[in-house]
Amino acid sequence: MSSPTPIAFWFDFASPYAYIANEWIDALAARHGRTVQRHAMLLGVIFPHADLKPLVNYPIKGEYARRDILRTARFERLPFAFPEAFPVSTHQAARVFWWLADTQGQEAAAAWVRTATRAYFTRGENISEPGVLRALAAEAGLDGAAAEAAWSEPRWKDRLRQANDAALQAGVFGAPFFVIDGEAFWGNDRKPQMDRWLAEGAF
Amino acid sequence: MSSPTPIAFWFDFASPYAYIANEWIDALAARHGRTVQRHAMLLGVIFPHADLKPLVNYPIKGEYARRDILRTARFERLPFAFPEAFPVSTHQAARVFWWLADTQGQEAAAAWVRTATRAYFTRGENISEPGVLRALAAEAGLDGAAAEAAWSEPRWKDRLRQANDAALQAGVFGAPFFVIDGEAFWGNDRKPQMDRWLAEGAF
């Protein structure tokens, strides 16, 4: 018997709702005998294709979103503090992710996601700054020089470009975005639907 | 002891997610000893203020939304069929709502919401057409001539305009939109947060 396909999880390191989802997705998958395949991408690349912009840039809705993000983190009983610099560019953190995913595997890459998103969303560390990334790489036990090379080498720039293209192919227009056996679920708030889908199959 | 304030529920007759929420909001409120105060408004008036447009008009996200709406209705175990004419203008249905709310009370108005949204979202009846509205008014046991007068008289046009202004004042940018004791909740998927808020108070 083949093992069930992993849950695909598309995210941007600067998405607060993706940070929240990143904290529950592995447990949800494990409850249903699944694993998680993470895909780092850049919402800044995706949004124009979908005629969208960062949530907090919308009038009225943006104000609501700031409040809803804080409340949703409390609802999930997760630590959260809005970073002063928000949103920030995340291509460097994302390239480190793909370097780890492709050379050391999903588990190492997932650990990096946790390290970087927790630093950003609980301690406000600006993950677009090289000095911060270097310190976080050390905190994550990575080879600092290799991590730094990963965020500037053409190979990993290309890898991230491929991931953005794949995201568009997969119909991604925001984060967190999940695909379970071909079915797409967008948003932290689709957890209950994903849970039933995994338990009972398509409904 | 004064009774707790009603849950404010803002909606547009052509919002599928608002149709879904309309089916569970009274039960949710009742479980927590609350009532519901409905407010019909026009998303077509609201959206430009929030730099938004109808969900299905967005590339990529719109495709997802059509699928998500169907799945969300199944998740809530509600009948749902996408109307061929979608979205449609709802100012007439909304004026009938305000006529009923102001002259016969919230219960009569809520019954009208159920009649019109079920006709639109389960039988595809185009609620922007006067003939359809006349038939639905009859189905709802309303005085047909009075209902028809309501959707063309200046008094109810003004009343709907006031409601749209009040929606903007309340920070509404989409539907369904709820306010519980000053706290705003947007979206059918905020039900679990609303449930906890009502049970335990602010979190």
Side-chain angles (χ1 to χ4, degrees):
Chain A
M1 218 178 86
S2 62
S3 36
T5 54
I7 299 172
F9 170 28
W10 299 87
F11 70 98
D12 183 303
F13 278 85
S15 161
Y17 291 114
Y19 152 70
I20 293 170
N22 187 60
E23 299 287 329
W24 55 253
I25 185 60
D26 296 288
L28 179 78
R31 276 204 302 280
H32 298 286
R34 303 271 188 143
T35 55
V36 178
Q37 181 103 24
R38 285 171 171 77
H39 300 262
M41 45 106 189
L42 302 181
L43 286 175
V45 170
I46 302 298
F47 279 158
H49 293 267
D51 198 7
L52 295 168
K53 56 187 177 182
L55 191 49
V56 293
N57 291 5
Y58 285 91
I60 314 180
K61 187 177 185 178
E63 291 305 302
Y64 170 85
R66 284 190 171 268
R67 198 174 166 92
D68 181 67
I69 288 162
L70 294 168
R71 187 179 63 209
T72 297
R74 294 192 302 268
F75 183 71
E76 298 285 350
R77 308 195 193 280
L78 285 175
F80 187 92
F82 238 112
E84 259 184 64
F86 179 82
V88 293
S89 68
T90 57
H91 52 281
Q92 293 165 315
R95 288 176 198 151
V96 171
F97 170 88
W98 284 111
W99 161 61
L100 288 169
D102 288 2
T103 64
Q104 299 180 36
Q106 272 284 326
E107 227 165 288
W112 171 244
V113 180
R114 275 191 296 276
T115 297
T117 57
R118 288 175 184 175
Y120 185 48
F121 286 115
T122 72
R123 305 194 302 266
E125 297 183 24
N126 186 337
I127 55 171
S128 71
E129 288 177 8
V132 168
L133 286 172
R134 253 178 242 119
L136 291 175
E139 183 186 320
L142 305 179
D143 174 341
E148 187 155 353
W151 76 62
S152 51
E153 274 176 16
R155 179 178 169 191
W156 305 111
K157 292 185 181 177
D158 283 349
R159 185 65 187 86
L160 178 55
R161 254 182 238 118
Q162 283 166 28
N164 290 329
D165 289 346
L168 288 168
Q169 284 287 326
V172 175
F173 57 87
F177 194 95
F178 305 94
V179 181
I180 302 174
D181 304 333
E183 182 77 6
F185 297 86
W186 167 60
N188 186 69
D189 41 44
R190 285 299 173 272
K191 182 168 52 170
Q193 293 195 20
M194 292 166 65
D195 200 30
R196 189 190 293 174
W197 197 276
L198 287 163
E200 303 173 12
F203 57 80
Chain B
M1 220 178 85
S2 62
S3 35
T5 53
I7 297 173
F9 170 28
W10 299 85
F11 69 97
D12 183 303
F13 278 85
S15 162
Y17 291 115
Y19 153 70
I20 294 170
N22 188 59
E23 298 289 327
W24 56 253
I25 185 61
D26 295 289
L28 178 78
R31 275 204 303 281
H32 298 286
R34 302 272 188 142
T35 57
V36 177
Q37 180 103 25
R38 284 170 172 77
H39 301 262
M41 46 108 189
L42 302 181
L43 286 175
V45 170
I46 301 298
F47 279 158
H49 292 269
D51 198 9
L52 294 168
K53 56 186 177 184
L55 192 47
V56 294
N57 291 5
Y58 285 91
I60 315 177
K61 188 177 185 177
E63 290 306 301
Y64 170 84
R66 282 191 172 266
R67 197 174 167 91
D68 181 67
I69 289 162
L70 293 169
R71 186 179 63 208
T72 298
R74 294 194 301 270
F75 183 72
E76 298 285 350
R77 306 193 194 281
L78 286 175
F80 187 92
F82 238 112
E84 259 184 63
F86 179 81
V88 293
S89 69
T90 56
H91 53 281
Q92 292 166 316
R95 288 175 198 151
V96 172
F97 170 89
W98 285 111
W99 161 62
L100 289 169
D102 288 3
T103 64
Q104 299 179 37
Q106 272 285 324
E107 229 166 287
W112 170 244
V113 180
R114 274 191 297 277
T115 297
T117 58
R118 287 175 184 175
Y120 185 47
F121 286 116
T122 71
R123 305 193 302 265
E125 296 182 26
N126 187 337
I127 54 171
S128 71
E129 287 176 8
V132 170
L133 285 173
R134 254 178 243 119
L136 291 175
E139 182 186 321
L142 304 179
D143 173 341
E148 187 155 355
W151 76 61
S152 52
E153 273 175 18
R155 179 179 169 190
W156 305 111
K157 291 184 182 180
D158 282 348
R159 184 65 186 86
L160 177 55
R161 254 183 237 117
Q162 283 166 28
N164 290 328
D165 289 346
L168 287 168
Q169 284 287 326
V172 175
F173 57 87
F177 194 96
F178 305 95
V179 180
I180 302 175
D181 303 334
E183 182 77 6
F185 297 85
W186 168 60
N188 186 68
D189 42 42
R190 285 298 173 274
K191 181 169 50 169
Q193 293 194 21
M194 292 165 64
D195 200 29
R196 189 190 294 174
W197 197 276
L198 287 163
E200 304 173 9
F203 58 79

